[in-house]
Amino acid sequence: MPATVPAASPAASLVGSLEIDVAGMRSARGLIRICLTADPRNFPGCVDDKHAVTRSVPASQLIIRFDDLPPGKYAAALIHDENSNAKLDTLLGIPREGFGFSRNPPIGFGPPRFAAAEFALGGVAETQQVTMRYML
């Protein structure tokens, strides 16, 4: 009797894509650095998140696409690294470069919580518009 291959579960085959549409850039110098995570503990930096998706693109690239993402709840953090030094430059704790988050939550002191930037991604294409903010 031939062996049968188990059918793939429909949930396992679902993947989604995400486009981040960046608005409000003050210049096309440097890079846009993106952290996309489903882990609230590693938002916004993605430092210890082995499942996070990070990307650096030229600041002139205002649409960033992510494909083959599993369904779930995600949040994105972006910085406009104008001098391409791989960090968000600050002056007395105030960002000197641009930053933005998915869902464009209000900004107080420090970054927003994961829940404020969180969005659901299913098995279809999703678009998040992120407006960059500049404090200085």
Side-chain angles (χ1 to χ4, degrees), residues 13-33:
S13 63
L14 286 179
V15 293
S17 62
L18 170 68
E19 277 192 357
I20 296 180
D21 181 1
V22 183
M25 294 286 289
R26 112 172 129 194
S27 77
R29 289 190 327 240
L31 299 168
I32 298 172
R33 298 190 186 275

Side-chain angles (χ1 to χ4, degrees), residues 22-105:
V22 183
M25 294 286 289
R26 112 172 129 194
S27 77
R29 289 190 327 240
L31 299 168
I32 298 172
R33 298 190 186 275
I34 304 114
C35 157
L36 179 65
T37 183
D39 184 353
R41 295 169 300 178
N42 283 298
F43 180 78
C46 294
V47 177
D48 296 321
D49 186 354
K50 65 182 180 180
H51 299 292
V53 180
T54 59
R55 192 167 296 162
S56 295
V57 300
S60 59
Q61 183 179 332
L62 300 180
I63 298 193
I64 301 109
R65 184 173 176 86
F66 298 87
D67 290 312
D68 300 324
L69 295 170
K73 294 183 178 182
Y74 292 88
L78 287 71
I79 65 168
H80 180 194
D81 185 6
E82 290 179 279
N83 59 5
S84 301
N85 67 349
K87 65 178 186 174
L88 178 65
D89 295 326
T90 61
L91 175 67
L92 301 172
I94 300 170
R96 298 180 68 189
E97 295 176 304
F99 59 91
F101 303 96
S102 48
R103 295 188 50 217
N104 298 304

Side-chain angles (χ1 to χ4, degrees), residues 76 101-106 114-120 128-130 133:
F101 303 96
S102 48
R103 295 188 50 217
N104 298 304
F114 181 89
E118 176 184 72
F119 61 92
Q128 283 288 316
Q129 183 176 50
V130 175
R133 299 171 192 196

